[in-house]
Amino acid sequence: MSDATPENPAGPATADADGSAPDFDTMTRDIADVPAVEVITTVAVHLMSAAAVNLGLAEEGDRHKDLDEARKLIHALAGLVDAGGTEISSFHAAPLRDGLKSLQLAFREASTVPDAPGQGPGEKYTGVVYG
């Protein structure tokens, strides 16, 4: 370990490209301007994407396959869709539910030891998923 003090101990998030401090008031206003439906759907899409990668559905799928991680992500997605579905309207919730069901079915197909009906990832919130 070195006794030297780093030039920027807080890391790159403390300064803009020109070296000036970021404007946190502007960032906060920008976040506040984002509608809740957009935040919820964006988080859901990120969870779906991460789950798909962990199910091995991405390019070079077997290299990234991790069913334990996929289970956690699908379960979190199911909770979000279940809780947020009524808040974001069926127009936005329906595609998220379809994507969730597809991931649940892909998980069931990828599992070497199948879960009992109702015990798969997210089925606590969605009920039993049938193909």
Side-chain angles (χ1 to χ4, degrees):
M1 181 155 176
S2 171
D3 290 332
T5 305
E7 289 181 36
N8 189 357
T14 61
D16 289 340
D18 64 359
S20 65
D23 183 5
F24 291 110
D25 290 336
T26 301
M27 286 183 195
T28 302
R29 267 194 307 276
D30 290 345
I31 291 170
D33 291 339
V34 178
V37 66
E38 189 174 330
V39 173
I40 293 167
T41 55
T42 300
V43 169
V45 169
H46 283 293
L47 288 169
M48 282 183 185
S49 298
V53 168
N54 282 293
L55 284 171
L57 301 176
E59 203 171 294
E60 299 180 26
D62 286 339
R63 206 172 117 223
H64 302 289
K65 194 171 185 177
D66 185 341
L67 295 182
D68 184 49
E69 290 294 305
R71 176 184 294 277
K72 294 171 189 172
L73 291 162
I74 294 168
H75 192 75
L77 174 63
L80 178 64
V81 171
D82 182 54
T86 57
E87 303 298 325
I88 62 174
S89 81
S90 61
F91 176 77
H92 295 286
L96 297 178
R97 285 189 188 103
D98 290 344
L100 171 59
K101 181 177 180 181
S102 295
L103 289 170
Q104 288 172 309
L105 292 172
F107 183 92
R108 190 171 293 281
E109 186 177 310
S111 296
T112 54
V113 179
D115 292 316
Q119 300 301 309
E123 290 184 353
K124 171 182 176 181
Y125 300 106
T126 62
V128 180
V129 177
Y130 297 104

